[in-house]
Amino acid sequence: MVRTGDVLVVGGGVIGCAIAYELAKAGLFVTLVERGTPGCEASSAGAGMLAPQSENAALGPMLTLGLASKALYPDLALELRERTGLDVEYETRGDLHCFLDEGDEAVGRAAFAWQREAGFKAELLGRADALALEPDLSPEVRGCLFLPEDHWVNNPRLVTALAHAAALEGVTFARGEVGTILRSKDRVTGVSVGGETLRAALVILAAGAWSGQLAATAGLRLPVGPARGQIVCLEGIPRRHHHLLHVRGHYVVPRVNGEILLGASMEWVGFTKQVTAKVARDILDDVLRLVPSLGQLPIKATWAGFRPWAPDERPIIGPWPALEGLVLATGHFRNGILLAPVTARLVRELLVDGKPSLDLTPFLPDRFVTEER
Ligand SMILES: Cc1cc2nc3c(=O)[nH]c(=O)nc-3n(C[C@H](O)[C@H](O)[C@H](O)COP(=O)(O)OP(=O)(O)OC[C@H]3O[C@@H](n4cnc5c(N)ncnc54)[C@H](O)[C@@H]3O)c2cc1C
């Protein structure tokens, strides 16, 4: 046995690191087990958009959760900078959903209508106004839906800052691959890592797309698996582009250092980490039509990552019923960067305060409980 503690977090992505930090601030003794470096999987592969308005087609629990999480970002960014010195590049200039033809425009107008009716900030801009915001847009652009309250961060930095802040709060980082979640009848007792046992009163499963596999080691059927996303990263000029851009399901995310992320695919191909020629071409076709000058930039990198996907595409947050000592925080799919702060807060409220401040019903693991061993 290596050591005992209050809480053991499995997985050091943005979700695990945010939870570890939050629980340590609340005074719990936390150990986080990660097989690589913090953020080495989806949390660095993602694009960092904090875009609940872009991501939702209607009012509902996902939008409520996303807005609640986005609201936590300004303070979190400041707090992380004060505590760690790291700037997570929280950017707030909004998102242009650009129209290249009538079909795009119809989709944009429909989104504009419900968002305005729901009381959100949204504007329909003509070509001249769109070009005034982003001069490199193609003259082919007919206009755009401008969502000024969708934001973004540098997500690899965010995970590093969360991990750093968690360590400063006293979280122990253990490097190793969790083989099994250990249980004794109706209680989880810890995990096995490379032949050793880590015991804990509470295990938080935050292993991203691998959470389903790990749950199976405790005899649980948790339908969480990988949804691959591919990104092409260009080497651009800092501050040349100022907004998130969307066009026909693809996007452009400018980072402070000049990197420009172009994404992304959505593929169910298991854990095959590849960038494929077809997906790269599809992304580049749409994006270069929108911003032709990007075609002159060097490709700096390409990568693929695995979004943690559950069949109803909602995160899974809360205790596994009828099994004491296991809490899930996974399945964040396309929105784990956005949802990390609220997930951490909800887990802390569940464990420390006893009552979450948002209705967790749509996100509880109960919806997937079919059978146990
Ligand atoms: C291309 C792409 C674009 C995206 N864009 C956005 C976006 O713009 N905005 C947004 O909000 N979200 C975005 N996402 C989604 C977001 O990245 C994920 O939802 C989020 O990163 C999930 O975080 P996580 O901590 O659950 O998973 P991960 O980051 O995958 O972390 C899980 C960790 O668990 C570790 N682990 C797994 N198994 C074990 C084990 N047995 N033992 C020890 N450690 C283990 C892994 O090494 C990993 O570090 C995007 C994702 C992709 C792929």
Side-chain angles (χ1 to χ4, degrees):
M1 194 176 88
V2 178
R3 60 183 304 165
T4 58
D6 294 335
V7 183
L8 208 149
V9 178
V10 179
V14 71
I15 300 297
C17 288
I19 291 171
Y21 177 45
E22 184 82 15
L23 294 183
K25 280 197 293 180
L28 298 190
F29 174 48
V30 183
T31 301
L32 185 150
V33 193
E34 165 58 52
R35 65 185 172 195
T37 51
C40 62
E41 294 288 352
S43 298
S44 290
M49 288 178 284
L50 313 175
Q53 282 179 251
S54 293
E55 283 288 314
N56 288 280
L59 295 174
M62 280 299 288
L63 180 57
T64 305
L65 194 70
L67 291 170
S69 204
K70 190 170 69 77
L72 298 173
Y73 259 97
D75 285 349
L76 178 64
L78 269 178
E79 180 180 317
L80 290 174
R81 191 203 272 260
E82 276 167 16
R83 290 188 179 212
T84 69
L86 288 169
D87 178 2
V88 301
E89 298 175 5
Y90 173 58
E91 299 280 334
T92 59
R93 284 180 303 274
D95 194 345
L96 307 183
H97 289 249
C98 299
F99 315 145
L100 294 173
D101 64 18
E102 275 174 25
D104 300 340
E105 192 161 344
V107 173
R109 283 187 181 279
F112 171 76
W114 83 258
Q115 302 228 4
R116 283 294 281 263
E117 199 177 315
F120 297 124
K121 281 195 183 154
E123 292 172 47
L124 280 176
L125 304 182
R127 176 189 289 125
D129 288 335
L131 280 161
L133 288 178
E134 283 294 348
D136 283 357
L137 290 179
S138 160
E140 203 191 342
V141 168
R142 301 160 62 101
C144 67
L145 169 66
F146 179 36
L147 301 176
E149 299 199 328
D150 275 353
H151 302 157
W152 70 103
V153 286
N154 181 322
N155 42 300
R157 281 229 193 163
L158 172 70
V159 194
T160 304
L162 285 168
H164 190 153
L168 291 173
E169 266 317 310
V171 172
T172 302
F173 283 77
R175 186 153 179 159
E177 175 138 15
V178 172
T180 313
I181 296 175
L182 302 169
R183 62 186 278 182
S184 167
K185 297 191 183 137
D186 294 337
R187 266 220 67 81
V188 161
T189 55
V191 300
S192 74
V193 182
E196 287 187 288
T197 298
L198 290 177
R199 295 213 177 275
L202 193 79
V203 171
I204 298 180
L205 181 55
W210 295 268
S211 300
Q213 292 178 351
L214 276 170
T217 67
L220 309 178
R221 187 170 291 188
L222 177 72
V224 173
R228 185 172 75 183
Q230 302 184 36
I231 285 201
V232 176
C233 174
L234 305 180
E235 194 175 319
I237 298 161
R239 299 297 186 192
R240 171 84 195 167
H241 299 95
H242 307 286
H243 300 85
L244 299 174
L245 303 175
H246 273 87
V247 62
R248 297 182 173 171
H250 289 130
Y251 54 73
V252 177
V253 179
R255 282 192 177 151
V256 170
N257 67 355
E259 284 178 352
I260 301 175
L261 272 49
L262 314 180
S265 59
M266 181 65 71
E267 304 160 273
W268 283 265
V269 293
F271 287 102
T272 312
K273 203 181 266 185
Q274 287 173 343
V275 174
T276 60
K278 181 177 181 318
V279 166
R281 184 197 63 192
D282 289 349
I283 292 172
L284 289 168
D285 274 353
D286 277 348
V287 168
L288 297 189
R289 193 167 157 203
L290 182 69
V291 191
S293 60
L294 293 183
Q296 305 307 315
L297 297 179
I299 292 179
K300 183 172 182 178
T302 59
W303 62 77
F306 301 118
R307 304 174 185 91
W309 173 85
D312 59 8
E313 303 189 349
R314 291 201 305 262
I316 304 164
I317 305 168
W320 188 271
L323 180 60
E324 235 180 287
L326 181 67
V327 168
L328 270 59
T330 187
H332 292 77
F333 191 39
R334 303 166 56 99
N335 288 296
I337 309 299
L338 168 67
L339 297 176
V342 80
T343 301
R345 193 184 70 182
L346 288 166
V347 169
R348 190 251 301 149
E349 288 169 348
L350 259 176
L351 300 183
V352 179
D353 315 329
K355 190 173 166 17
S357 53
L358 284 175
D359 178 15
L360 262 186
T361 314
F363 309 111
L364 288 173
D366 308 38
R367 66 195 199 270
F368 294 122
V369 176
T370 50
E371 72 184 64
E372 294 182 29
R373 74 179 177 188

